[in-house]
Amino acid sequence: MPSQDEFALIRDWNDGRQSEEFLDSAGIVLGIGDDAAVVSGASDREWLFAVDTMVEDVHFRDDTMGEADVGYKALAANVSDIAAMGGVPRQALVSISAPPSWNGERMKRLYDGLYECAERYGIAIIGGDTTSAPRQLVVSVTIIGTVEVGRAIRRNGAKPGQSVFVTGPTGLSAAGLHGLLKQRDRSKETSVEEAIPQRLVLSHRRPAPSVRAGRILLETGWGSSLNDVSDGLASEAWEIAEASQARLVLRERALPVSGDLASYAGAQGVRLLDWMLYGGEDYVLIGTVDRIHELALKERFRAEGLPLFIIGEVESGTPEVVLETASGTRKPLRKGGYNHFPKG
């Protein structure tokens, strides 16, 4: 880290990033520079709060993510949580614990990515905290969103007879990480990043939270339950099943498959379904909808240039997730996905 004090660093990383006009439009009365930010409220909205933390060598490594990618993804992961409630992301607080290896230039690039994501989703960065760390970088983002009073879409609204949908293919981020973790091919002097489809690399480094999809589901009133795919499709389906006390049946033949993912998985000898079900960090949405609204919802998504795939149905019974295989047989789907504290 440079010799500047904490407050000089904060000014260096944040000053001039967002215009006064934008901050005013975002309801910011007082932003970065005092003991606390001041934000104006709205009587017809409820607040949504979420926090997400990224730790070096746990969530990212130098050989998988650039500095700007780390900043972008740290905020994007939080944006996805707001999207999964049908809300609108508004403001964010950013806390950084930086070790000596993250010098001033590296930190500035991290903030470049952070503000790039903030600009894309209209988020005001209003404060946070900055400390030193002995070894690994830690980035923690708290995001504030809004949603119409009483309208937030929860996980517990799935009902027997409804359809299960996703707003995009899954497994792309996991495949991107797989490629980025492989060693560079020194003999050909070409990196794995160049050998795998760029879409997979971008899916891992620069995820695109489904904010507009979440808003459509709320505006129409047709999204009965919703969750974002951060820890893997199987894991998020289980969360809906348990919260709703219902059985979710996913059909293997209906799961959307990216051509880039299929070709890369085949080349690597990896079972495609494993990445699709258990990969995580795709940040698409999984949810449920009454069958009577299914066609109209598809048409609404299509009109806005957004994908929507029906991948299964909700049944009564013991809360669980079942996979109907391509051959038509059913088997329980294990509760897999990323877990920081696995049993055993």
Side-chain angles (χ1 to χ4, degrees), residues 33-34 41 48 84-85 94 120 126 159-160 167 186 198 210 216 223 293 300 303 324 338:
D34 215 306
L48 300 170
M85 307 295 289
V94 182
R120 179 172 180 178
I126 60 173
K159 297 178 177 60
T167 62
R186 297 183 184 279
Q198 186 67 10
S210 305
I216 293 173
H293 300 308
R300 176 68 183 275
E324 185 178 286
Y338 189 78

Side-chain angles (χ1 to χ4, degrees), residues 7-8 14-15 42 113 133 148 151 153 160 167 179 198 255 298:
F7 304 105
N14 291 281
D15 277 3
E148 290 81 351
R151 299 285 306 281
I153 308 175
T167 62
Q198 186 67 10
L255 296 176
K298 282 184 176 180

Side-chain angles (χ1 to χ4, degrees), residues 302-325:
R302 188 180 302 114
E304 299 209 23
L306 297 173
L308 185 79
F309 304 92
I310 303 300
I311 62 169
E313 55 272 334
V314 184
E315 297 181 348
S316 59
T318 303
E320 63 177 334
V321 180
V322 174
L323 180 69
E324 185 178 286
T325 66

Side-chain angles (χ1 to χ4, degrees), residues 60 72 79 106 305:
F60 63 91
Y72 190 99
V79 172
R106 295 189 72 191

Side-chain angles (χ1 to χ4, degrees), residues 207-278:
S210 305
V211 176
R212 184 59 196 146
R215 290 300 292 167
I216 293 173
L217 292 161
L218 182 137
E219 290 165 0
T220 59
W222 296 338
S224 61
S225 67
L226 203 57
N227 208 2
D228 76 318
V229 182
S230 55
D231 295 324
L233 184 62
S235 176
E236 312 304 347
W238 263 99
E239 288 183 352
I240 290 176
E242 291 179 328
S244 301
Q245 291 295 292
R247 176 184 295 125
L248 267 61
V249 180
L250 307 185
R251 297 191 299 272
E252 182 179 353
R253 287 185 179 274
L255 296 176
V257 180
S258 160
D260 287 335
L261 176 64
S263 62
Y264 181 70
Q268 297 298 314
V270 175
R271 186 169 176 258
L272 178 63
L273 200 59
D274 287 342
W275 275 338
M276 293 170 62
L277 292 173
Y278 303 112

Side-chain angles (χ1 to χ4, degrees), residues 130-196:
T130 305
T131 69
S132 62
R135 285 178 295 276
Q136 278 82 26
L137 178 78
V138 179
V139 184
S140 185
V141 178
T142 298
I143 196 165
I144 303 114
T146 59
V147 68
E148 290 81 351
V149 172
R151 299 285 306 281
I153 308 175
R154 305 183 183 185
R155 297 172 181 169
N156 64 356
K159 297 178 177 60
Q162 293 182 331
S163 297
V164 181
F165 63 79
V166 289
T167 62
T170 58
L172 281 69
S173 177
L177 177 61
H178 176 275
L180 291 168
L181 284 173
K182 301 191 81 173
Q183 296 293 322
R184 291 178 179 274
D185 186 341
R186 297 183 184 279
S187 62
K188 295 181 180 179
E189 296 184 354
T190 181
S191 68
V192 174
E193 180 179 345
E194 295 170 340
I196 68 174

